[in-house]
């Protein structure tokens, strides 16, 4: 009996593209300016200093881009995997409830976060496979998004203390206990769910499309993983041929 080959959709973040190109242009530009200055008599000009600064910035940005995983997201028929340079997390398709765009109330109007929110069916299942290293990094990296969520509750700059510092002990609604960084991440998830209805955030910087398109795609994947992945792979193939 021949087993069916499972389709896999690999997505590269828009912000991680062109890293090698940016680094190369910056390095070539820096070498050219240095050689030009060595061959030309006189002191270095302000313009040359400015160009050197630009080249150094390009090298730095390009280097950071090359350190990111080539694919930030991997989607199979069974799970969604978010790949980070410090690890990864995954959500099983049956544990994925829905996705959407979290909103924040600000001055009598609702503003959308620049991220996709994910609602889980069972947070214990997700937390049990989460590594402390990536949990700690995401707590820091996504703090600015969380602060946008709670700012309406911070009157005169005073925010509820339990939202500013996550407790390192957590007991789920099912009675399961977590400690350390996993517990801190779990408390962040709980606060996020209370305020937005979502448990996880995927910042726009790790997506291959707009937050609205990606959210729709995730919901389509939840409804019919096989059909969604095959349609996306077919579309990518057609785009590559053009």
């Amino acid at each position: 009996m021949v087993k069916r080959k499972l389709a896999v959709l690999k997505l590269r973040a828009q912000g991680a593209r062109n890293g090698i190109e940016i680094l190369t242009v910056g390095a070539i530009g820096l070498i050219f300016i240095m050689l030009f200055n060595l061959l030309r008599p006189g002191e270095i000009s302000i313009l040359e200093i400015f160009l050197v600064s630009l080249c150094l910035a390009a090298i730095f940005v390009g280097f950071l881009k090359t350190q990111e995983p080539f694919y930030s997201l991997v989607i199979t028929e069974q799970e969604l995997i978010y790949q980070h340079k410090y690890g990864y997390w995954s959500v099983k398709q049956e544990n994925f409830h829905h996705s959407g765009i979290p909103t924040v109330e600000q001055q009598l109007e609702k503003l959308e976060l620049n991220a996709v929110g994910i609602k889980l069916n069972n947070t214990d299942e997700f937390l049990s496979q989460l590594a402390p290293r990536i949990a700690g990094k995401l707590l820091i990296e996504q703090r600015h998004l969380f602060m946008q969520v709670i700012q309406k509750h911070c009157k005169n700059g005073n925010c509820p203390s339990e939202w500013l510092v996550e407790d390192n002990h957590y007991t789920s609604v099912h009675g399961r206990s977590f400690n350390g960084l996993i517990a801190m991440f779990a408390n962040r998830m709980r606060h996020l769910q209370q305020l937005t209805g979502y448990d996880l955030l995927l910042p726009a910087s790790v997506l291959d499309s707009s937050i609205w398109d990606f959210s729709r795609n995730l919901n389509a994947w939840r409804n019919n993983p096989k059909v969604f992945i095959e349609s996306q792979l077919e579309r990518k193939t057609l785009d590559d041929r053009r």
Side-chain angles (χ1 to χ4, degrees), residues 101-151:
I101 311 301
T103 58
V104 178
E105 291 185 10
Q106 190 176 74
Q107 297 179 353
L108 302 179
E109 64 176 340
K110 289 188 176 181
L111 301 178
E112 295 177 332
L113 289 184
N114 195 26
V116 170
I118 295 176
K119 178 73 172 69
L120 302 177
N121 291 317
N122 187 329
T123 57
D124 286 9
E125 178 183 317
F126 173 83
L127 292 169
S128 65
Q129 54 82 43
L130 185 66
R133 190 182 187 208
I134 187 174
K137 290 296 180 180
L138 292 180
L139 281 171
I140 297 171
E141 289 181 2
Q142 298 184 5
R143 184 172 177 80
H144 70 287
L145 291 171
F146 183 65
M147 292 303 295
Q148 291 179 44
V149 173
I150 68 172
Q151 62 183 355

Side-chain angles (χ1 to χ4, degrees), residues 8 21 26 36 60 63 90 97 114 118 133 152 161 220 233:
V8 178
E21 292 82 352
F36 178 78
F60 180 70
F63 174 76
S90 65
H97 189 276
N114 195 26
I118 295 176
R133 190 182 187 208
K152 73 168 185 173
S161 59
L233 291 174

